[in-house]
Amino acid sequence: MFRINENYLKLKAGYLFPEIGRRVKAFADANPEAKIIRLGIGDVTEPLPAAIVTAMHEAVDDMAKRDSFHGYGPEQGYGFLREPIAEQDYQARGVNVAADEIFISDGSKCDTGNILDILGADNVIAITDPVYPVYVDTNVMAGHTGDADKNGRYGKLVYLPVTAENNFTADLPSEPVDIIYLCYPNNPTGTVATRETLQKWVDYALENKCLIMFDAAYEAFVSDDSIPRSIFEIEGARKVAIEFRSFSKNIGFTGVRCAFTVVPKELTVTASCGTEVSLHQLWNRRQSTKFNGASYIVQKGAAAAYTPEGRQQTKALIDFYMTNAQLLVDGLTSVGITVFGGKHAPYVWLKTPNDMSSWDFFDKLLEKGHLVGTPGSGFGAAGEGYFRLSAFNSRANVETAIERFKSVVS
Ligand SMILES: *Cc1c(COP(=O)(O)O)cnc(C)c1O
């Protein structure tokens, strides 16, 4: 008889977004006239920058001719994309990352999950709470946790609460951990980490031989040069960190699919036999075996984001979403709501009025304002009493949503 991976049975049944979908559908069925505005799931809404569309059209034409046709590409990605990433995202900012340390993929969600392939099964994993659920669930699937308790917290995971009380920066763990997930600018809270905060984590990792998994999916939304965009801006990070980046949010590729992971060559660990092992080599081996590269057409599109027109159009797209975020921050603040984030990330994290629970506030906003957001408690127990609104929407929807929000809470 075959067996399944029973770790999957530990996963909590009511995953956040299906539960939101269920409640929204029930409301919509009962109120077919209601024009619901969704500021829930973090998905982009605006069309692709023109330079990227042109590049992808040209890439399709390449595929239509024998002499410019492309079959399997390099598993690590094409040089025409890895090189501008290394030069413009890193070296131009004084950050030491080489093109051959960059692994192009079809998404950061898969990379953050797949990376567990090269890591041992008995690492103690630390995550912030609230957190991007992918880090937790992939570790549950890989058998790195115990069962969930009634609050949805898994045994063996170390939860590091991030709330207004600690200014959304986690304290160092009080028990030994091996792997730490950090995401800045942060999803869901929209907050950022200072250089000092990240240095504290890198120093901790160096001292305790930990690995930092740094998710920088929102780095392009940072508008202040004093805030780090990469963990590799931090001294010592090349020995302890892997960085995940994605084209999903900055150039609108959630539906196109392209991302990359940086594994520095200095990142090594001593195996149980005593040999020093390079994680770069392990990841290269893993990708070469289980992945056949991102599509040529898609990589051509991503590379166009690094041309002068592409850069300008990408910046305009980011500015558009960040103006939405600013409108949300201003609108909510004007009716007395306490808000966090929204300055260097397309998410606004608000304190629910009158200490309402996150789900009660969700229901109220849906019923009275026909607005959908995301309950903070869905991202972790410490998110209770908070609520996330996404700035990914049309200007008209954001403006209408703000007026409705105001009338619901005042
Ligand atoms: C959107 C997002 C990503 C991007 O994932 P893709 O699979 O590349 O679309 C990664 N991390 C976080 C925290 C995100 O919110």
Side-chain angles (χ1 to χ4, degrees):
M1 188 184 89
F2 73 94
R3 288 176 187 77
I4 57 158
N5 175 355
E6 297 202 357
N7 294 310
Y8 278 64
L9 305 180
K10 295 181 196 162
L11 293 165
K12 283 174 288 163
Y15 180 71
L16 176 61
F17 291 106
E19 176 60 20
I20 292 175
R22 200 187 58 72
R23 293 194 191 201
V24 173
K25 185 175 183 304
F27 179 81
D29 289 349
N31 302 273
E33 251 78 280
K35 291 209 164 47
I36 297 172
I37 297 180
R38 291 160 207 270
L39 301 167
I41 296 185
D43 194 2
V44 296
T45 55
E46 302 308 296
L48 299 175
I52 292 171
V53 175
T54 303
M56 289 173 74
H57 278 299
E58 286 168 6
V60 171
D61 289 340
D62 288 347
M63 298 299 270
K65 287 172 282 192
R66 180 174 300 277
D67 57 1
S68 53
F69 172 80
H70 284 72
Y72 287 127
E75 292 93 348
Q76 302 79 1
Y78 284 103
F80 66 70
L81 179 56
R82 298 168 96 193
E83 275 149 29
I85 292 173
E87 284 158 20
Q88 296 184 34
D89 285 350
Y90 293 102
Q91 292 156 12
R93 296 174 186 277
V95 182
N96 176 14
V97 167
D100 66 352
E101 294 176 315
I102 294 165
F103 293 84
I104 309 294
S105 75
D106 58 359
S108 268
K109 192 192 220 183
C110 20
D111 283 355
T112 51
N114 291 338
I115 198 81
L116 299 181
D117 267 15
I118 65 166
L119 299 167
D122 42 18
N123 290 303
V124 177
I125 317 274
I127 54 150
T128 59
D129 174 10
V131 76
Y132 181 53
V134 176
Y135 316 146
V136 175
D137 288 359
T138 53
N139 276 289
V140 174
M141 291 171 175
H144 299 170
T145 73
D147 289 322
D149 68 14
K150 62 178 193 313
N151 299 318
R153 285 189 156 179
Y154 290 94
K156 280 176 67 184
L157 280 189
V158 174
Y159 290 85
L160 308 171
V162 284
T163 60
E165 283 68 43
N166 60 14
N167 201 20
F168 300 97
T169 52
D171 297 327
L172 293 173
S174 51
E175 55 200 292
V177 303
D178 303 303
I179 296 174
I180 303 147
Y181 286 83
L182 297 176
C183 173
Y184 290 109
N186 187 256
N187 178 11
T189 66
T191 58
V192 290
T194 62
R195 205 167 288 282
E196 293 71 38
T197 298
L198 293 184
Q199 188 70 61
K200 177 184 81 172
W201 281 104
V202 167
D203 290 346
Y204 175 88
L206 284 164
E207 211 162 293
N208 297 282
K209 299 192 190 310
C210 303
L211 173 65
I212 294 177
M213 307 265 226
F214 193 78
D215 186 339
Y218 296 96
E219 61 79 30
F221 294 85
V222 171
S223 60
D224 175 343
D225 279 340
S226 70
I227 297 164
R229 291 165 174 241
S230 165
I231 191 72
F232 301 119
E233 291 179 41
I234 308 300
E235 174 123 33
R238 286 179 55 85
K239 289 192 163 73
V240 294
I242 292 175
E243 178 161 294
F244 302 94
R245 286 208 188 180
S246 172
F247 292 106
S248 283
K249 313 298 161 48
N250 61 343
I251 64 171
F253 265 28
T254 54
V256 178
R257 312 303 306 143
C258 195
F260 62 92
T261 291
V262 180
V263 189
K265 294 201 179 131
E266 283 152 53
L267 178 58
T268 62
V269 70
T270 314
S272 54
C273 59
T275 325
E276 203 65 4
V277 179
S278 149
L279 271 77
H280 182 276
Q281 276 174 20
L282 290 189
W283 184 243
N284 191 43
R285 190 74 174 85
R286 190 270 170 210
Q287 289 297 80
S288 309
T289 302
K290 294 198 185 181
F291 184 60
N292 250 335
S295 138
Y296 168 76
I297 298 160
V298 164
Q299 291 188 69
K300 275 286 181 182
Y306 293 89
T307 61
E309 316 77 70
R311 285 168 66 106
Q312 196 194 347
Q313 292 162 7
T314 298
K315 183 178 180 304
L317 184 59
I318 291 165
D319 288 349
F320 171 80
Y321 289 128
M322 289 314 292
T323 301
N324 283 350
Q326 189 61 49
L327 291 170
L328 283 168
V329 168
D330 293 346
L332 271 52
T333 309
S334 76
V335 286
I337 301 286
T338 306
V339 303
F340 305 93
K343 291 263 180 298
H344 306 288
Y347 297 116
V348 175
W349 187 245
L350 62 103
K351 193 87 196 72
T352 59
N354 309 316
D355 290 324
M356 275 178 97
S357 81
S358 299
W359 276 111
D360 283 350
F361 189 64
F362 174 92
D363 290 335
K364 181 174 176 180
L365 214 49
L366 178 60
E367 279 156 30
K368 302 249 165 68
H370 307 169
L371 294 176
V372 182
T374 315
S377 57
F379 297 103
E384 180 57 275
Y386 292 92
F387 199 80
R388 191 188 78 175
L389 293 178
S390 152
F392 291 128
N393 220 314
S394 67
R395 184 62 44 80
N397 272 353
V398 167
E399 283 167 351
T400 309
I402 291 167
E403 290 318 309
R404 291 195 200 161
F405 190 100
K406 286 181 180 173
S407 68
V408 171
V409 301
S410 46

